[in-house]
Amino acid sequence: MNSTPAYYGFWQRLGRLLLKLGSWLVLLFLILPILVIVPLSFNSEPFFSFTEGMLTLQPEAYSLRWYQEVFTDPRWILAIKNSFIIGIFATLLSTVLGTCAAVGLAREEMPLRRFITALLLSPMIVPLIITAAGMFFFYSDFGLAGTYPGVIIAHAALGTPFVIITVTATLVGFDYSLVRAALNLGATPLRAFFDVIMPLIRPGVISGALFAFITSFDEVVVILFMAGPQQRTIPRQMFSGLREQINPSILAIATLLILVSIALLVTIELLRRRAERLRLAPAE
């Protein structure tokens, strides 16, 4: 009689073990192609493959020459500068627009709320090639194609949905009576927003801004349509390098992008946990 609980307990432990093992195998399958890039970026030879010296761990087979080339080649320097300039300004624009939209859409009395939300989130759903082609023809009529403002506005349009989603998530369960109380005490709507709403949604705003920056920093399809020679970003330069002249410096910049992505994702996770703690604080 007592063997039945032990029997089921054994299968439960085995099931949990197999689930963990399967999860780690799937993670390894997904991340292994990315991890292969890292040692290849230190190859002293201009090859996209492991040399015999690398496999035998000979010190002379490894080099930082491709990282040095990234930071000395004028094309890479221009691409890095453009990526940060376009990414920062597009992030600022999408953060402001997305936060304002999320605050408005979070109100139940907002007319056509579902339709407007679907419209604002459409850049995440519509195939990017269609969005990029539409942006090119539309922006060309205003002389924005091939200009920094045009690329920034296009990237802001792609990043705004991420800000809307993250800020909307932080506004779930928000007590708008706090805003009404601030207004009754004489605060202006703008001050009520910055003093009452903003402190509570700040983690969501920062998370959305980071997502918007990642979206702009990694985007290549819109750049192919919208950017001119002077607006080349890192992904555009990598795309050109793969087509024109294969060079391991692409692996070096890819490794740096991996590190930047990991740092941003860790920051987003820390902000998510902080936002959850703030949301649970009143209940405690």
Side-chain angles (χ1 to χ4, degrees), residues 106-117:
R107 295 178 175 272
E108 294 290 339
E109 64 272 16
M110 176 74 179
L112 301 175
R113 185 163 63 98
R114 294 184 182 277
F115 173 75
I116 297 174
T117 301

Side-chain angles (χ1 to χ4, degrees), residues 17 29 31 38 43 58 68 73 79 91 107 132 139 146 191 201 210 231 256:
L17 179 62
F29 176 78
I31 203 173
V38 178
N43 191 354
Q58 298 179 10
Q68 183 179 2
D73 191 327
T91 299
R107 295 178 175 272
Y139 287 12
R191 183 170 182 179
I201 67 172
L210 290 175
Q231 291 85 42
L256 296 176

Side-chain angles (χ1 to χ4, degrees), residues 57-113:
L57 300 179
Q58 298 179 10
E60 60 272 13
Y62 295 87
S63 173
L64 294 174
R65 60 180 291 194
W66 307 118
Y67 290 90
Q68 183 179 2
E69 182 172 329
V70 166
F71 293 105
T72 55
D73 191 327
R75 294 172 299 176
W76 282 115
I77 294 175
L78 177 64
I80 294 172
K81 183 181 72 174
N82 284 338
S83 289
F84 279 100
I85 291 175
I86 294 171
I88 291 172
F89 282 100
T91 299
L92 293 174
L93 184 58
S94 60
T95 301
V96 173
L97 295 176
T99 302
C100 294
V103 172
L105 294 171
R107 295 178 175 272
E108 294 290 339
E109 64 272 16
M110 176 74 179
L112 301 175
R113 185 163 63 98

Side-chain angles (χ1 to χ4, degrees), residues 40-263:
L40 283 176
S41 66
F42 295 97
N43 191 354
S44 61
E45 301 295 334
F47 304 132
F48 270 49
S49 59
F50 289 98
T51 62
E52 183 178 352
M54 294 184 69
L55 295 175
T56 56
L57 300 179
Q58 298 179 10
E60 60 272 13
Y62 295 87
S63 173
L64 294 174
R65 60 180 291 194
W66 307 118
Y67 290 90
Q68 183 179 2
E69 182 172 329
V70 166
F71 293 105
T72 55
D73 191 327
R75 294 172 299 176
W76 282 115
I77 294 175
L78 177 64
I80 294 172
K81 183 181 72 174
N82 284 338
S83 289
F84 279 100
I85 291 175
I86 294 171
I88 291 172
F89 282 100
T91 299
L92 293 174
L93 184 58
S94 60
T95 301
V96 173
L97 295 176
T99 302
C100 294
V103 172
L105 294 171
R107 295 178 175 272
E108 294 290 339
E109 64 272 16
M110 176 74 179
L112 301 175
R113 185 163 63 98
R114 294 184 182 277
F115 173 75
I116 297 174
T117 301
L119 188 64
L120 292 175
L121 298 183
S122 60
M124 298 178 63
I125 303 170
V126 178
L128 197 54
I129 186 73
I130 297 176
T131 302
M135 286 179 173
F136 173 75
F137 289 113
F138 179 76
Y139 287 12
S140 296
D141 293 338
F142 298 93
L144 291 174
T147 65
Y148 282 102
V151 176
I152 290 171
I153 295 172
H155 279 195
L158 297 178
T160 299
F162 294 95
V163 181
I164 293 174
I165 290 175
T166 55
V167 175
T168 301
T170 59
L171 284 169
V172 173
F174 179 77
D175 187 3
Y176 281 95
S177 63
L178 299 174
V179 180
R180 290 191 292 270
L183 295 175
N184 290 334
L185 292 173
T188 62
L190 188 61
R191 183 170 182 179
F193 172 78
F194 282 106
D195 291 349
V196 179
I197 299 177
M198 194 61 186
L200 296 176
I201 67 172
R202 187 180 293 116
V205 173
I206 298 176
S207 298
L210 290 175
F211 276 118
F213 181 78
I214 293 174
T215 301
S216 173
F217 205 76
D218 292 341
E219 203 285 319
V220 66
V221 178
V222 171
I223 287 293
L224 290 173
F225 280 84
M226 291 291 300
Q230 294 302 316
Q231 291 85 42
R232 284 197 172 200
T233 58
I234 293 175
R236 179 69 175 86
Q237 184 62 32
M238 294 175 70
F239 183 80
S240 300
L242 289 173
R243 292 187 59 189
E244 299 167 4
Q245 181 182 4
I246 295 180
N247 191 307
S249 60
I250 299 174
L251 301 178
I253 196 69
T255 302
L256 296 176
L257 289 178
I258 291 172
L259 296 177
V260 171
S261 299
I262 291 174

